[in-house]
Structures are given as structure tokens and as C-alpha cells.
Amino acid sequence: MIKLGRRDRTLRLAFVSGVVSLIAVFAAVGSTIPLFNIYRAEEGFTNADISLTVVAYSAATLSTLLVLGRLSNHVGRRPVAIASLGLLALACLLLLNVHDIGILIAGRLLMGFGAGLASSSLTAYIVDTAPARPTWLASVASSQTVMLGLAVGAIASGALVQFGPWPRDLIYLVVIGLLLLSAALVAISPETVTLRPGGWRSLRPSVRVPVQVRQLLPVAAGVFLATWATGAFYQAFVPALVADQLHTRSSLVLGLVFAAYMGPSALGAPLGGRFSPAAAQRIGMTAFLAGWIGLITAITTGALPLFIVATIIAGAAQGIAISAATRGLLFGSTLADRAPTFAVVYLLSYSGATIPSLISARLSNIFTVPEIARGYAGLALVATLLTAFAARNPHDWEE
């Protein structure tokens, strides 16, 4: 009994360490968003420049997941997680001196490499150590901690940029401290996988999910692509949208708008746990599309309050849909399945962030931001229709 209690405590420490570290990683990623308008105003960066930084970040994350997505199965979750935290800290150090678009792109590239390592290792670590009850906790904590971290980073950055000293630097110093604390927590936490050979072979790109849930992948892909594309839209174009269409240049308001999309995602996820994966995906994507309709209306009329309300609806809805899709793909997974499964989840997610952002960067000199927003709304419509007609539960395929 004493030994069991000690093991429970060490697993609880590992779970908390994984959650805190994943929040720190994506708080670092979100911390740059409220600074984009400052870079636009003071350094002359264009919307296309900012969009390219989103592409750089997403492409780096994608390539890291492809090559290193399974590495933690062989060398351990902790070493890979600590490496990811170190890369994020190095990126923040680089971003302390942004006076050229190349520096901003390089910093976001490093963030992408670190986030890619964290997306496979820390999410798998969270699932490895999550309590058995409630059953939805593992999928919610692993999928929605990312959104929570982005929201925390954006709000903290917006507040420090607007009210703190050293507006271009202080947030990065704070995040570096959080990353170092997270690395220390992971270092004192237990390892969950047994080291085994094959680490070099694992670097060969391999994309797979367990065969029993493979039929769920097309709908899950639609969910991940549409929701993460919208997240990239918020990073690349909402700074300009808030300033030019909604008529405010407040860094805190910008941080709150971005957080209004990412934060409610973590609140919507437990709601999805009350339904089957298929039903939750349908509910989530229908509400997500309704949110986009509100966003387009707000952009057209210049109504900031409506924009924020619609953003909250879309954010909560994506939480329901993403966590349900993740829960379906984790159905019946083994310890060895989790890192590759999460690599697939994030490959799809960052593809949704990268490809539309790259296209939008090219089109931003031709079309206005409101016109580009309508294109993203069209993507949400397609994904919602796919989900409505094709979503299934994992156990349906076994019958």
C-alpha cells in the first residue's frame, strides 16, 4: 500500500510536470502575437512578413514531427522534453533583439523545432501519467493544454507590452524563467518508457495510427486542419484586423482577442467528454461554423464586441471537436502507439496551420484581410460538412 501510494505520487508529479511544461512551451509561442503590431509599426513588417513567420514556425514543427516524432519511444520522454524546453528558451533569447524580419523568422523557426519535440514527447508523457479517472482527462489535458498555453502567453504578453517596462523584452525574460522551471520539474519526474534500441531508425519519417482507428482519420484530419488553420489566421492576420478593421491598437486587447479563441478551447474540451467522439465532433464543428459566421459579420460591420463573442464560441467549439477527434484516435492505444499517434495529430494540425498560411501570405498583396477571412470560413464550412456526414465512433468499426 505504501509503495502504491508513493508510485501514485510520482506519477502525479510527472503528470503535473508534463502539463506545466506544455503550457510553458506554448506560452512561449503565444507570447509573440501581441508584439506583431509593434513590429509592424516600428520595424515596417508587412502582413505578408508576419504570415511568413507563422509559416516558418509551422513548417519547422512539421519537419520535427516527421523526423523526431517517435524518438521519445527510444530515448525517453524526459530527455526529449527537456531538449524542447531548451530550444524554446534559446528562441526567446534570440527574439530579445528583433530589428529585422530574418531574426523574427529565425526565432519562430527555433520555436517550431521546440514545439515539434514537445508536441510528441510531452503530450505522450501526459497521457502516460494521467489518472485513470475521469476517462476524458488524458485526451483533454494532452490536446487542450496547447490552447491554454497559447492563451496564457498571449494575455501575459499583451499586459506586459502595454503596462510593463521593456515592452519588447520583458515577456521573453518571464517565459525563459518559466521554461527553466519546467525543465527542472521534468528532470525530477520519473521516466515512463523503457529505453530501447532503434533510436536512429526512428528518425526515418513514418506516419501511422493504430489500425483499429485508421478509418477515423479522414474526419479527424478535417477537424484538425480547419481549426488549426483558424488558429494560424489569428496569429497572422488578426493583429492587422484588430488594428485596421476593429479600430484598436491596444496590445492587451490583441492578446485578449487571441486568448478568446485559444482559452475557451480548454473549457469546451470537457464538455465534449459527455458525448461519444462522433457526436462531440458534430456538435463542435457545427458550433465552430456558427462562430465563423459571427466573425465574418463582425468584420463586415466593424463590431469588436461581436468579434470577441464569436471568437469565444469558435474557440470553445474547436475544443469540443479537437478533443473528441483525439479521443477517437487514442482508442485502444498502447504505450508505444501514443507518441506516433500524437505525431500524426500534430502533423495534420500544423499542416492546417502551414498550407493556408503560405497561400494567404502570397494572396495578402492581392486580397484584403476581410476577403482572406472569408476563405478561412469556407474551409470551416467544408470541414463541418465532412464531419456531419462521415463522423463515426471507434467501436463502430469493430462491430
Side-chain angles (χ1 to χ4, degrees), residues 3-169:
K3 180 183 283 189
L4 185 61
R6 186 179 298 118
R7 182 176 181 277
D8 287 343
R9 284 195 298 273
T10 57
L11 284 178
R12 194 155 45 240
L13 171 64
F15 178 72
V16 171
S17 298
V19 169
V20 169
S21 297
L22 201 59
I23 289 173
V25 165
F26 286 94
V29 174
S31 68
T32 59
I33 309 303
L35 285 158
F36 282 160
N37 274 346
I38 289 182
Y39 297 148
R40 289 172 70 221
E42 297 182 3
E43 308 298 339
F45 298 166
T46 65
N47 289 336
D49 291 334
I50 298 299
S51 190
L52 285 176
T53 69
V54 177
V55 172
Y57 164 78
S58 301
T61 308
L62 265 173
S63 59
T64 304
L65 284 166
L66 271 173
V67 177
L68 302 175
R70 296 176 295 156
L71 186 62
S72 71
N73 279 346
H74 299 273
V75 303
R77 309 287 196 226
R78 293 190 309 155
V80 178
I82 290 171
S84 73
L85 294 163
L87 283 170
L88 267 296
L90 185 59
C92 289
L93 285 173
L94 186 61
L95 292 175
L96 288 171
N97 187 34
V98 175
H99 296 290
D100 179 86
I101 190 61
I103 296 295
L104 183 57
I105 289 174
R108 294 289 284 180
L109 273 171
L110 278 177
M111 283 187 168
F113 293 138
L117 285 177
S119 295
S120 59
S121 61
L122 280 171
T123 48
Y125 194 50
I126 289 169
V127 174
D128 293 347
T129 57
R133 293 285 185 271
T135 55
W136 48 260
L137 181 60
S139 64
V140 169
S142 56
S143 64
Q144 298 308 311
T145 300
V146 172
M147 305 302 178
L148 181 60
L150 288 167
V152 167
I155 292 174
S157 179
L160 291 178
V161 167
Q162 188 156 339
F163 301 113
W166 320 314
R168 293 173 58 138
D169 300 328

Side-chain angles (χ1 to χ4, degrees), residues 37-335:
N37 274 346
I38 289 182
Y39 297 148
R40 289 172 70 221
E42 297 182 3
E43 308 298 339
F45 298 166
T46 65
N47 289 336
D49 291 334
I50 298 299
S51 190
L52 285 176
T53 69
V54 177
V55 172
Y57 164 78
S58 301
T61 308
L62 265 173
S63 59
T64 304
L65 284 166
L66 271 173
V67 177
L68 302 175
R70 296 176 295 156
L71 186 62
S72 71
N73 279 346
H74 299 273
V75 303
R77 309 287 196 226
R78 293 190 309 155
V80 178
I82 290 171
S84 73
L85 294 163
L87 283 170
L88 267 296
L90 185 59
C92 289
L93 285 173
L94 186 61
L95 292 175
L96 288 171
N97 187 34
V98 175
H99 296 290
D100 179 86
I101 190 61
I103 296 295
L104 183 57
I105 289 174
R108 294 289 284 180
L109 273 171
L110 278 177
M111 283 187 168
F113 293 138
L117 285 177
S119 295
S120 59
S121 61
L122 280 171
T123 48
Y125 194 50
I126 289 169
V127 174
D128 293 347
T129 57
R133 293 285 185 271
T135 55
W136 48 260
L137 181 60
S139 64
V140 169
S142 56
S143 64
Q144 298 308 311
T145 300
V146 172
M147 305 302 178
L148 181 60
L150 288 167
V152 167
I155 292 174
S157 179
L160 291 178
V161 167
Q162 188 156 339
F163 301 113
W166 320 314
R168 293 173 58 138
D169 300 328
L170 183 57
I171 182 59
Y172 295 130
L173 297 174
V174 172
V175 168
I176 288 169
L178 180 59
L179 291 165
L180 294 176
L181 172 63
S182 300
L185 284 173
V186 172
I188 63 173
S189 298
E191 183 56 72
T192 57
V193 299
T194 303
L195 305 189
R196 54 193 177 93
W200 286 110
R201 285 195 303 275
S202 76
L203 303 184
R204 190 184 317 144
S206 175
V207 177
R208 67 177 178 85
V209 294
V211 65
Q212 68 268 21
V213 296
R214 204 162 288 167
Q215 296 92 338
L216 305 179
L217 204 53
V219 171
V223 170
F224 297 138
L225 289 169
T227 54
W228 279 66
T230 299
F233 170 79
Y234 270 74
Q235 292 184 55
F237 293 103
V238 165
L241 200 60
V242 167
D244 302 336
Q245 303 293 132
L246 304 176
H247 314 299
T248 176
R249 297 189 178 275
S250 166
S251 297
L252 179 57
V253 169
L254 176 54
L256 288 171
V257 167
F258 184 71
Y261 180 66
M262 297 301 175
S265 182
L267 300 176
L271 296 176
R274 300 173 180 270
F275 304 94
S276 69
Q281 285 176 88
R282 290 192 183 99
I283 293 168
M285 291 306 294
T286 301
F288 182 72
L289 180 60
W292 256 113
I293 293 170
L295 290 171
I296 296 300
T297 303
I299 293 169
T300 303
T301 60
L304 180 59
L306 176 59
F307 189 88
I308 293 174
V309 170
T311 294
I312 292 170
I313 292 171
Q318 77 154 359
I320 295 172
I322 289 173
S323 63
T326 304
R327 180 155 50 100
L329 294 178
L330 286 173
F331 178 79
S333 65
T334 65
L335 192 69

